[in-house]
Amino acid sequence: MHITYLTLLTLLAGIYPNAPRTGYAAAHAKAIVFVASTEEPIPGFTRDESAALLVVTAYEEGRLGMAVARGDDGASCSTYQIMARTKEQCESLERDPIYAARYALFVMRLSAKYCPSSPLAPYCGSCASKRAREISDSRIANARRLAANASH
């Protein structure tokens, strides 16, 4: 079963009760459902788990906002806090939830290939960073719980 928009919002509220009323939750949820159903999943994860990882990351990094505070000295943009290559890319990531979800998923796929033992650690900082590995483990556990609840 693939996560639907309504299922995604309902499950998100179960993990983060205020999330559906935060930022642009509906726009991001629709974008995540679309991207997860049309793009390759993260290596080692199902489409539903990949969608759930996008949700968890979007909430934990930017509370599902659009133009959230930029991290990493202004280089990390959007609710996913993705390291943009240019100012223009950063602006596009903040404006377009589908582009932001697609690009976050792309970076997550690269991260998982680079560090299979802790798939999101490079996305969160570095495969060698203990803190990034802890964040990766926590997000994966939350995402797997979210995806498992979607199949019930």
PDB file of all heavy atoms in Angstrom, residues 47-87:
ATOM      1  N   ARG A  47       8.884   2.566  -0.734  1.00  0.00           N
ATOM      2  CA  ARG A  47       8.343   3.886  -1.096  1.00  0.00           C
ATOM      3  C   ARG A  47       7.673   4.536   0.115  1.00  0.00           C
ATOM      4  O   ARG A  47       7.842   5.728   0.361  1.00  0.00           O
ATOM      5  CB  ARG A  47       7.341   3.777  -2.241  1.00  0.00           C
ATOM      6  CG  ARG A  47       7.972   3.529  -3.580  1.00  0.00           C
ATOM      7  CD  ARG A  47       6.924   3.580  -4.700  1.00  0.00           C
ATOM      8  NE  ARG A  47       7.519   3.212  -5.958  1.00  0.00           N
ATOM      9  CZ  ARG A  47       8.215   4.044  -6.734  1.00  0.00           C
ATOM     10  NH1 ARG A  47       8.398   5.281  -6.360  1.00  0.00           N
ATOM     11  NH2 ARG A  47       8.729   3.624  -7.875  1.00  0.00           N
ATOM     12  N   ASP A  48       6.901   3.747   0.871  1.00  0.00           N
ATOM     13  CA  ASP A  48       6.231   4.299   2.053  1.00  0.00           C
ATOM     14  C   ASP A  48       7.243   4.748   3.097  1.00  0.00           C
ATOM     15  O   ASP A  48       7.078   5.798   3.717  1.00  0.00           O
ATOM     16  CB  ASP A  48       5.276   3.279   2.669  1.00  0.00           C
ATOM     17  CG  ASP A  48       4.009   3.090   1.844  1.00  0.00           C
ATOM     18  OD1 ASP A  48       3.823   3.804   0.833  1.00  0.00           O
ATOM     19  OD2 ASP A  48       3.192   2.224   2.217  1.00  0.00           O
ATOM     20  N   GLU A  49       8.298   3.976   3.295  1.00  0.00           N
ATOM     21  CA  GLU A  49       9.338   4.372   4.252  1.00  0.00           C
ATOM     22  C   GLU A  49      10.072   5.626   3.762  1.00  0.00           C
ATOM     23  O   GLU A  49      10.408   6.502   4.561  1.00  0.00           O
ATOM     24  CB  GLU A  49      10.322   3.232   4.485  1.00  0.00           C
ATOM     25  CG  GLU A  49       9.740   2.076   5.271  1.00  0.00           C
ATOM     26  CD  GLU A  49      10.634   0.849   5.277  1.00  0.00           C
ATOM     27  OE1 GLU A  49      11.451   0.668   4.349  1.00  0.00           O
ATOM     28  OE2 GLU A  49      10.510   0.062   6.227  1.00  0.00           O
ATOM     29  N   SER A  50      10.294   5.713   2.462  1.00  0.00           N
ATOM     30  CA  SER A  50      10.933   6.904   1.900  1.00  0.00           C
ATOM     31  C   SER A  50      10.044   8.131   2.101  1.00  0.00           C
ATOM     32  O   SER A  50      10.528   9.204   2.476  1.00  0.00           O
ATOM     33  CB  SER A  50      11.244   6.702   0.413  1.00  0.00           C
ATOM     34  OG  SER A  50      12.214   5.691   0.242  1.00  0.00           O
ATOM     35  N   ALA A  51       8.737   7.966   1.857  1.00  0.00           N
ATOM     36  CA  ALA A  51       7.793   9.070   2.101  1.00  0.00           C
ATOM     37  C   ALA A  51       7.821   9.466   3.572  1.00  0.00           C
ATOM     38  O   ALA A  51       7.854  10.656   3.909  1.00  0.00           O
ATOM     39  CB  ALA A  51       6.384   8.661   1.692  1.00  0.00           C
ATOM     40  N   ALA A  52       7.824   8.470   4.441  1.00  0.00           N
ATOM     41  CA  ALA A  52       7.844   8.747   5.875  1.00  0.00           C
ATOM     42  C   ALA A  52       9.141   9.451   6.291  1.00  0.00           C
ATOM     43  O   ALA A  52       9.126  10.339   7.139  1.00  0.00           O
ATOM     44  CB  ALA A  52       7.649   7.448   6.657  1.00  0.00           C
ATOM     45  N   LEU A  53      10.270   9.070   5.680  1.00  0.00           N
ATOM     46  CA  LEU A  53      11.535   9.756   5.984  1.00  0.00           C
ATOM     47  C   LEU A  53      11.492  11.214   5.532  1.00  0.00           C
ATOM     48  O   LEU A  53      12.020  12.095   6.222  1.00  0.00           O
ATOM     49  CB  LEU A  53      12.713   9.036   5.328  1.00  0.00           C
ATOM     50  CG  LEU A  53      13.229   7.839   6.110  1.00  0.00           C
ATOM     51  CD1 LEU A  53      14.153   6.979   5.253  1.00  0.00           C
ATOM     52  CD2 LEU A  53      13.952   8.295   7.367  1.00  0.00           C
ATOM     53  N   LEU A  54      10.855  11.479   4.418  1.00  0.00           N
ATOM     54  CA  LEU A  54      10.686  12.863   3.986  1.00  0.00           C
ATOM     55  C   LEU A  54       9.838  13.647   4.989  1.00  0.00           C
ATOM     56  O   LEU A  54      10.169  14.783   5.343  1.00  0.00           O
ATOM     57  CB  LEU A  54      10.059  12.931   2.591  1.00  0.00           C
ATOM     58  CG  LEU A  54      10.968  12.569   1.431  1.00  0.00           C
ATOM     59  CD1 LEU A  54      10.158  12.385   0.145  1.00  0.00           C
ATOM     60  CD2 LEU A  54      12.046  13.619   1.231  1.00  0.00           C
ATOM     61  N   VAL A  55       8.759  13.038   5.463  1.00  0.00           N
ATOM     62  CA  VAL A  55       7.879  13.699   6.427  1.00  0.00           C
ATOM     63  C   VAL A  55       8.625  14.011   7.719  1.00  0.00           C
ATOM     64  O   VAL A  55       8.592  15.139   8.225  1.00  0.00           O
ATOM     65  CB  VAL A  55       6.639  12.820   6.742  1.00  0.00           C
ATOM     66  CG1 VAL A  55       5.885  13.339   7.957  1.00  0.00           C
ATOM     67  CG2 VAL A  55       5.726  12.754   5.547  1.00  0.00           C
ATOM     68  N   VAL A  56       9.284  13.003   8.257  1.00  0.00           N
ATOM     69  CA  VAL A  56       9.994  13.176   9.526  1.00  0.00           C
ATOM     70  C   VAL A  56      11.076  14.253   9.376  1.00  0.00           C
ATOM     71  O   VAL A  56      11.212  15.134  10.233  1.00  0.00           O
ATOM     72  CB  VAL A  56      10.589  11.830   9.999  1.00  0.00           C
ATOM     73  CG1 VAL A  56      11.552  12.028  11.157  1.00  0.00           C
ATOM     74  CG2 VAL A  56       9.471  10.872  10.393  1.00  0.00           C
ATOM     75  N   THR A  57      11.819  14.205   8.284  1.00  0.00           N
ATOM     76  CA  THR A  57      12.873  15.189   8.063  1.00  0.00           C
ATOM     77  C   THR A  57      12.300  16.590   7.892  1.00  0.00           C
ATOM     78  O   THR A  57      12.804  17.555   8.480  1.00  0.00           O
ATOM     79  CB  THR A  57      13.731  14.794   6.848  1.00  0.00           C
ATOM     80  OG1 THR A  57      14.319  13.510   7.098  1.00  0.00           O
ATOM     81  CG2 THR A  57      14.830  15.807   6.575  1.00  0.00           C
ATOM     82  N   ALA A  58      11.242  16.717   7.103  1.00  0.00           N
ATOM     83  CA  ALA A  58      10.621  18.030   6.883  1.00  0.00           C
ATOM     84  C   ALA A  58      10.131  18.632   8.190  1.00  0.00           C
ATOM     85  O   ALA A  58      10.267  19.836   8.418  1.00  0.00           O
ATOM     86  CB  ALA A  58       9.468  17.908   5.893  1.00  0.00           C
ATOM     87  N   TYR A  59       9.572  17.789   9.048  1.00  0.00           N
ATOM     88  CA  TYR A  59       9.083  18.317  10.324  1.00  0.00           C
ATOM     89  C   TYR A  59      10.239  18.654  11.261  1.00  0.00           C
ATOM     90  O   TYR A  59      10.276  19.724  11.863  1.00  0.00           O
ATOM     91  CB  TYR A  59       8.103  17.349  10.995  1.00  0.00           C
ATOM     92  CG  TYR A  59       7.516  17.975  12.228  1.00  0.00           C
ATOM     93  CD1 TYR A  59       6.534  18.942  12.117  1.00  0.00           C
ATOM     94  CD2 TYR A  59       7.984  17.654  13.493  1.00  0.00           C
ATOM     95  CE1 TYR A  59       6.022  19.573  13.242  1.00  0.00           C
ATOM     96  CE2 TYR A  59       7.476  18.268  14.619  1.00  0.00           C
ATOM     97  CZ  TYR A  59       6.495  19.232  14.489  1.00  0.00           C
ATOM     98  OH  TYR A  59       6.002  19.863  15.602  1.00  0.00           O
ATOM     99  N   GLU A  60      11.182  17.748  11.399  1.00  0.00           N
ATOM    100  CA  GLU A  60      12.266  17.969  12.352  1.00  0.00           C
ATOM    101  C   GLU A  60      13.214  19.093  11.924  1.00  0.00           C
ATOM    102  O   GLU A  60      13.747  19.799  12.774  1.00  0.00           O
ATOM    103  CB  GLU A  60      13.037  16.676  12.599  1.00  0.00           C
ATOM    104  CG  GLU A  60      12.216  15.674  13.378  1.00  0.00           C
ATOM    105  CD  GLU A  60      12.962  14.403  13.733  1.00  0.00           C
ATOM    106  OE1 GLU A  60      14.173  14.294  13.461  1.00  0.00           O
ATOM    107  OE2 GLU A  60      12.320  13.510  14.305  1.00  0.00           O
ATOM    108  N   GLU A  61      13.414  19.270  10.638  1.00  0.00           N
ATOM    109  CA  GLU A  61      14.328  20.313  10.161  1.00  0.00           C
ATOM    110  C   GLU A  61      13.667  21.686  10.077  1.00  0.00           C
ATOM    111  O   GLU A  61      14.291  22.680  10.407  1.00  0.00           O
ATOM    112  CB  GLU A  61      14.901  19.949   8.783  1.00  0.00           C
ATOM    113  CG  GLU A  61      15.850  18.771   8.789  1.00  0.00           C
ATOM    114  CD  GLU A  61      17.234  19.105   9.319  1.00  0.00           C
ATOM    115  OE1 GLU A  61      17.538  20.285   9.598  1.00  0.00           O
ATOM    116  OE2 GLU A  61      18.029  18.156   9.457  1.00  0.00           O
ATOM    117  N   GLY A  62      12.417  21.738   9.598  1.00  0.00           N
ATOM    118  CA  GLY A  62      11.814  23.041   9.345  1.00  0.00           C
ATOM    119  C   GLY A  62      10.365  23.185   9.728  1.00  0.00           C
ATOM    120  O   GLY A  62       9.701  24.127   9.304  1.00  0.00           O
ATOM    121  N   ARG A  63       9.862  22.240  10.526  1.00  0.00           N
ATOM    122  CA  ARG A  63       8.472  22.289  10.992  1.00  0.00           C
ATOM    123  C   ARG A  63       7.470  22.486   9.856  1.00  0.00           C
ATOM    124  O   ARG A  63       6.456  23.152  10.007  1.00  0.00           O
ATOM    125  CB  ARG A  63       8.272  23.377  12.053  1.00  0.00           C
ATOM    126  CG  ARG A  63       9.065  23.155  13.324  1.00  0.00           C
ATOM    127  CD  ARG A  63       8.600  21.892  14.035  1.00  0.00           C
ATOM    128  NE  ARG A  63       9.227  21.715  15.323  1.00  0.00           N
ATOM    129  CZ  ARG A  63      10.184  20.805  15.580  1.00  0.00           C
ATOM    130  NH1 ARG A  63      10.627  20.012  14.630  1.00  0.00           N
ATOM    131  NH2 ARG A  63      10.681  20.678  16.781  1.00  0.00           N
ATOM    132  N   LEU A  64       7.788  21.911   8.698  1.00  0.00           N
ATOM    133  CA  LEU A  64       6.917  21.929   7.517  1.00  0.00           C
ATOM    134  C   LEU A  64       6.636  23.338   7.007  1.00  0.00           C
ATOM    135  O   LEU A  64       5.593  23.598   6.434  1.00  0.00           O
ATOM    136  CB  LEU A  64       5.596  21.194   7.804  1.00  0.00           C
ATOM    137  CG  LEU A  64       5.757  19.712   8.129  1.00  0.00           C
ATOM    138  CD1 LEU A  64       4.478  19.154   8.723  1.00  0.00           C
ATOM    139  CD2 LEU A  64       6.164  18.927   6.909  1.00  0.00           C
ATOM    140  N   GLY A  65       7.588  24.224   7.184  1.00  0.00           N
ATOM    141  CA  GLY A  65       7.446  25.584   6.672  1.00  0.00           C
ATOM    142  C   GLY A  65       7.893  25.678   5.227  1.00  0.00           C
ATOM    143  O   GLY A  65       8.406  24.727   4.654  1.00  0.00           O
ATOM    144  N   MET A  66       7.711  26.829   4.633  1.00  0.00           N
ATOM    145  CA  MET A  66       8.192  27.046   3.267  1.00  0.00           C
ATOM    146  C   MET A  66       9.530  27.781   3.347  1.00  0.00           C
ATOM    147  O   MET A  66      10.562  27.200   3.177  1.00  0.00           O
ATOM    148  CB  MET A  66       7.174  27.832   2.444  1.00  0.00           C
ATOM    149  CG  MET A  66       5.924  27.034   2.136  1.00  0.00           C
ATOM    150  SD  MET A  66       6.217  25.574   1.141  1.00  0.00           S
ATOM    151  CE  MET A  66       5.818  26.181  -0.454  1.00  0.00           C
ATOM    152  N   ALA A  67       9.517  29.065   3.634  1.00  0.00           N
ATOM    153  CA  ALA A  67      10.758  29.842   3.742  1.00  0.00           C
ATOM    154  C   ALA A  67      11.153  29.892   5.216  1.00  0.00           C
ATOM    155  O   ALA A  67      10.895  30.855   5.913  1.00  0.00           O
ATOM    156  CB  ALA A  67      10.565  31.231   3.172  1.00  0.00           C
ATOM    157  N   VAL A  68      11.747  28.819   5.678  1.00  0.00           N
ATOM    158  CA  VAL A  68      12.165  28.744   7.081  1.00  0.00           C
ATOM    159  C   VAL A  68      13.551  29.365   7.237  1.00  0.00           C
ATOM    160  O   VAL A  68      14.227  29.661   6.257  1.00  0.00           O
ATOM    161  CB  VAL A  68      12.171  27.274   7.581  1.00  0.00           C
ATOM    162  CG1 VAL A  68      10.780  26.665   7.485  1.00  0.00           C
ATOM    163  CG2 VAL A  68      13.165  26.432   6.818  1.00  0.00           C
ATOM    164  N   ALA A  69      13.957  29.556   8.480  1.00  0.00           N
ATOM    165  CA  ALA A  69      15.297  30.101   8.732  1.00  0.00           C
ATOM    166  C   ALA A  69      16.331  29.213   8.048  1.00  0.00           C
ATOM    167  O   ALA A  69      16.245  27.987   8.106  1.00  0.00           O
ATOM    168  CB  ALA A  69      15.553  30.172  10.228  1.00  0.00           C
ATOM    169  N   ARG A  70      17.283  29.834   7.412  1.00  0.00           N
ATOM    170  CA  ARG A  70      18.327  29.092   6.709  1.00  0.00           C
ATOM    171  C   ARG A  70      19.426  28.705   7.685  1.00  0.00           C
ATOM    172  O   ARG A  70      19.901  29.529   8.448  1.00  0.00           O
ATOM    173  CB  ARG A  70      18.898  29.911   5.565  1.00  0.00           C
ATOM    174  CG  ARG A  70      17.872  30.138   4.470  1.00  0.00           C
ATOM    175  CD  ARG A  70      18.446  30.908   3.326  1.00  0.00           C
ATOM    176  NE  ARG A  70      17.412  31.141   2.328  1.00  0.00           N
ATOM    177  CZ  ARG A  70      17.605  31.840   1.233  1.00  0.00           C
ATOM    178  NH1 ARG A  70      18.791  32.354   0.978  1.00  0.00           N
ATOM    179  NH2 ARG A  70      16.625  32.010   0.376  1.00  0.00           N
ATOM    180  N   GLY A  71      19.821  27.445   7.633  1.00  0.00           N
ATOM    181  CA  GLY A  71      20.885  26.950   8.494  1.00  0.00           C
ATOM    182  C   GLY A  71      22.226  26.949   7.793  1.00  0.00           C
ATOM    183  O   GLY A  71      22.325  27.324   6.623  1.00  0.00           O
ATOM    184  N   ASP A  72      23.237  26.506   8.500  1.00  0.00           N
ATOM    185  CA  ASP A  72      24.584  26.374   7.924  1.00  0.00           C
ATOM    186  C   ASP A  72      25.038  27.661   7.235  1.00  0.00           C
ATOM    187  O   ASP A  72      25.423  27.656   6.066  1.00  0.00           O
ATOM    188  CB  ASP A  72      24.649  25.181   6.955  1.00  0.00           C
ATOM    189  CG  ASP A  72      24.274  23.873   7.631  1.00  0.00           C
ATOM    190  OD1 ASP A  72      24.843  23.581   8.700  1.00  0.00           O
ATOM    191  OD2 ASP A  72      23.394  23.170   7.111  1.00  0.00           O
ATOM    192  N   ASP A  73      24.945  28.755   7.977  1.00  0.00           N
ATOM    193  CA  ASP A  73      25.367  30.069   7.456  1.00  0.00           C
ATOM    194  C   ASP A  73      24.628  30.456   6.182  1.00  0.00           C
ATOM    195  O   ASP A  73      25.206  31.044   5.262  1.00  0.00           O
ATOM    196  CB  ASP A  73      26.885  30.110   7.227  1.00  0.00           C
ATOM    197  CG  ASP A  73      27.661  29.946   8.528  1.00  0.00           C
ATOM    198  OD1 ASP A  73      27.237  30.536   9.544  1.00  0.00           O
ATOM    199  OD2 ASP A  73      28.682  29.239   8.517  1.00  0.00           O
ATOM    200  N   GLY A  74      23.352  30.112   6.118  1.00  0.00           N
ATOM    201  CA  GLY A  74      22.521  30.494   4.976  1.00  0.00           C
ATOM    202  C   GLY A  74      22.549  29.548   3.802  1.00  0.00           C
ATOM    203  O   GLY A  74      21.867  29.776   2.807  1.00  0.00           O
ATOM    204  N   ALA A  75      23.286  28.453   3.902  1.00  0.00           N
ATOM    205  CA  ALA A  75      23.407  27.528   2.776  1.00  0.00           C
ATOM    206  C   ALA A  75      22.306  26.468   2.754  1.00  0.00           C
ATOM    207  O   ALA A  75      22.018  25.899   1.711  1.00  0.00           O
ATOM    208  CB  ALA A  75      24.768  26.842   2.794  1.00  0.00           C
ATOM    209  N   SER A  76      21.699  26.180   3.904  1.00  0.00           N
ATOM    210  CA  SER A  76      20.663  25.143   3.977  1.00  0.00           C
ATOM    211  C   SER A  76      19.287  25.782   3.885  1.00  0.00           C
ATOM    212  O   SER A  76      18.963  26.702   4.635  1.00  0.00           O
ATOM    213  CB  SER A  76      20.789  24.356   5.280  1.00  0.00           C
ATOM    214  OG  SER A  76      21.980  23.620   5.286  1.00  0.00           O
ATOM    215  N   CYS A  77      18.477  25.270   2.945  1.00  0.00           N
ATOM    216  CA  CYS A  77      17.208  25.904   2.615  1.00  0.00           C
ATOM    217  C   CYS A  77      16.034  24.942   2.730  1.00  0.00           C
ATOM    218  O   CYS A  77      16.201  23.741   2.661  1.00  0.00           O
ATOM    219  CB  CYS A  77      17.239  26.389   1.175  1.00  0.00           C
ATOM    220  SG  CYS A  77      18.741  27.179   0.700  1.00  0.00           S
ATOM    221  N   SER A  78      14.885  25.501   2.814  1.00  0.00           N
ATOM    222  CA  SER A  78      13.581  24.845   2.815  1.00  0.00           C
ATOM    223  C   SER A  78      13.340  24.071   4.102  1.00  0.00           C
ATOM    224  O   SER A  78      14.196  24.009   4.983  1.00  0.00           O
ATOM    225  CB  SER A  78      13.386  23.928   1.598  1.00  0.00           C
ATOM    226  OG  SER A  78      13.876  22.630   1.824  1.00  0.00           O
ATOM    227  N   THR A  79      12.169  23.481   4.189  1.00  0.00           N
ATOM    228  CA  THR A  79      11.823  22.723   5.384  1.00  0.00           C
ATOM    229  C   THR A  79      12.727  21.516   5.572  1.00  0.00           C
ATOM    230  O   THR A  79      12.838  20.987   6.661  1.00  0.00           O
ATOM    231  CB  THR A  79      10.339  22.308   5.356  1.00  0.00           C
ATOM    232  OG1 THR A  79       9.945  21.877   6.671  1.00  0.00           O
ATOM    233  CG2 THR A  79      10.073  21.203   4.348  1.00  0.00           C
ATOM    234  N   TYR A  80      13.420  21.097   4.520  1.00  0.00           N
ATOM    235  CA  TYR A  80      14.341  19.956   4.599  1.00  0.00           C
ATOM    236  C   TYR A  80      15.765  20.376   4.969  1.00  0.00           C
ATOM    237  O   TYR A  80      16.618  19.531   5.176  1.00  0.00           O
ATOM    238  CB  TYR A  80      14.383  19.212   3.259  1.00  0.00           C
ATOM    239  CG  TYR A  80      13.042  18.671   2.845  1.00  0.00           C
ATOM    240  CD1 TYR A  80      12.252  19.350   1.937  1.00  0.00           C
ATOM    241  CD2 TYR A  80      12.565  17.480   3.378  1.00  0.00           C
ATOM    242  CE1 TYR A  80      11.012  18.863   1.564  1.00  0.00           C
ATOM    243  CE2 TYR A  80      11.326  16.984   3.009  1.00  0.00           C
ATOM    244  CZ  TYR A  80      10.555  17.683   2.105  1.00  0.00           C
ATOM    245  OH  TYR A  80       9.324  17.199   1.736  1.00  0.00           O
ATOM    246  N   GLN A  81      16.025  21.684   4.994  1.00  0.00           N
ATOM    247  CA  GLN A  81      17.360  22.215   5.264  1.00  0.00           C
ATOM    248  C   GLN A  81      18.407  21.563   4.356  1.00  0.00           C
ATOM    249  O   GLN A  81      19.403  21.004   4.792  1.00  0.00           O
ATOM    250  CB  GLN A  81      17.731  22.054   6.739  1.00  0.00           C
ATOM    251  CG  GLN A  81      16.945  22.968   7.660  1.00  0.00           C
ATOM    252  CD  GLN A  81      17.233  24.441   7.391  1.00  0.00           C
ATOM    253  OE1 GLN A  81      18.300  24.933   7.689  1.00  0.00           O
ATOM    254  NE2 GLN A  81      16.271  25.148   6.806  1.00  0.00           N
ATOM    255  N   ILE A  82      18.150  21.649   3.063  1.00  0.00           N
ATOM    256  CA  ILE A  82      19.022  21.087   2.038  1.00  0.00           C
ATOM    257  C   ILE A  82      20.108  22.106   1.704  1.00  0.00           C
ATOM    258  O   ILE A  82      19.826  23.289   1.525  1.00  0.00           O
ATOM    259  CB  ILE A  82      18.227  20.764   0.750  1.00  0.00           C
ATOM    260  CG1 ILE A  82      17.069  19.833   1.063  1.00  0.00           C
ATOM    261  CG2 ILE A  82      19.140  20.164  -0.312  1.00  0.00           C
ATOM    262  CD1 ILE A  82      16.057  19.748  -0.054  1.00  0.00           C
ATOM    263  N   MET A  83      21.343  21.630   1.572  1.00  0.00           N
ATOM    264  CA  MET A  83      22.457  22.498   1.167  1.00  0.00           C
ATOM    265  C   MET A  83      22.288  22.822  -0.320  1.00  0.00           C
ATOM    266  O   MET A  83      22.447  21.946  -1.170  1.00  0.00           O
ATOM    267  CB  MET A  83      23.794  21.803   1.399  1.00  0.00           C
ATOM    268  CG  MET A  83      24.092  21.531   2.849  1.00  0.00           C
ATOM    269  SD  MET A  83      24.600  22.986   3.744  1.00  0.00           S
ATOM    270  CE  MET A  83      26.330  22.967   3.420  1.00  0.00           C
ATOM    271  N   ALA A  84      21.938  24.064  -0.605  1.00  0.00           N
ATOM    272  CA  ALA A  84      21.760  24.493  -1.992  1.00  0.00           C
ATOM    273  C   ALA A  84      23.107  24.863  -2.609  1.00  0.00           C
ATOM    274  O   ALA A  84      24.026  25.272  -1.916  1.00  0.00           O
ATOM    275  CB  ALA A  84      20.812  25.681  -2.046  1.00  0.00           C
ATOM    276  N   ARG A  85      23.173  24.707  -3.925  1.00  0.00           N
ATOM    277  CA  ARG A  85      24.406  25.057  -4.648  1.00  0.00           C
ATOM    278  C   ARG A  85      24.468  26.539  -4.975  1.00  0.00           C
ATOM    279  O   ARG A  85      25.535  27.110  -5.085  1.00  0.00           O
ATOM    280  CB  ARG A  85      24.520  24.226  -5.920  1.00  0.00           C
ATOM    281  CG  ARG A  85      24.769  22.741  -5.619  1.00  0.00           C
ATOM    282  CD  ARG A  85      24.718  21.926  -6.863  1.00  0.00           C
ATOM    283  NE  ARG A  85      23.301  21.883  -7.260  1.00  0.00           N
ATOM    284  CZ  ARG A  85      22.821  21.308  -8.326  1.00  0.00           C
ATOM    285  NH1 ARG A  85      23.631  20.715  -9.159  1.00  0.00           N
ATOM    286  NH2 ARG A  85      21.543  21.303  -8.600  1.00  0.00           N
ATOM    287  N   THR A  86      23.278  27.150  -5.151  1.00  0.00           N
ATOM    288  CA  THR A  86      23.229  28.573  -5.507  1.00  0.00           C
ATOM    289  C   THR A  86      22.094  29.253  -4.750  1.00  0.00           C
ATOM    290  O   THR A  86      21.192  28.588  -4.218  1.00  0.00           O
ATOM    291  CB  THR A  86      22.972  28.766  -7.018  1.00  0.00           C
ATOM    292  OG1 THR A  86      21.657  28.256  -7.316  1.00  0.00           O
ATOM    293  CG2 THR A  86      24.018  28.059  -7.881  1.00  0.00           C
ATOM    294  N   LYS A  87      22.116  30.576  -4.753  1.00  0.00           N
ATOM    295  CA  LYS A  87      21.039  31.357  -4.139  1.00  0.00           C
ATOM    296  C   LYS A  87      19.714  31.071  -4.857  1.00  0.00           C
ATOM    297  O   LYS A  87      18.669  30.938  -4.229  1.00  0.00           O
ATOM    298  CB  LYS A  87      21.390  32.846  -4.217  1.00  0.00           C
ATOM    299  CG  LYS A  87      20.336  33.747  -3.654  1.00  0.00           C
ATOM    300  CD  LYS A  87      20.717  35.207  -3.819  1.00  0.00           C
ATOM    301  CE  LYS A  87      19.575  36.091  -3.361  1.00  0.00           C
ATOM    302  NZ  LYS A  87      19.775  37.486  -3.700  1.00  0.00           N
TER     303      LYS A  87
END
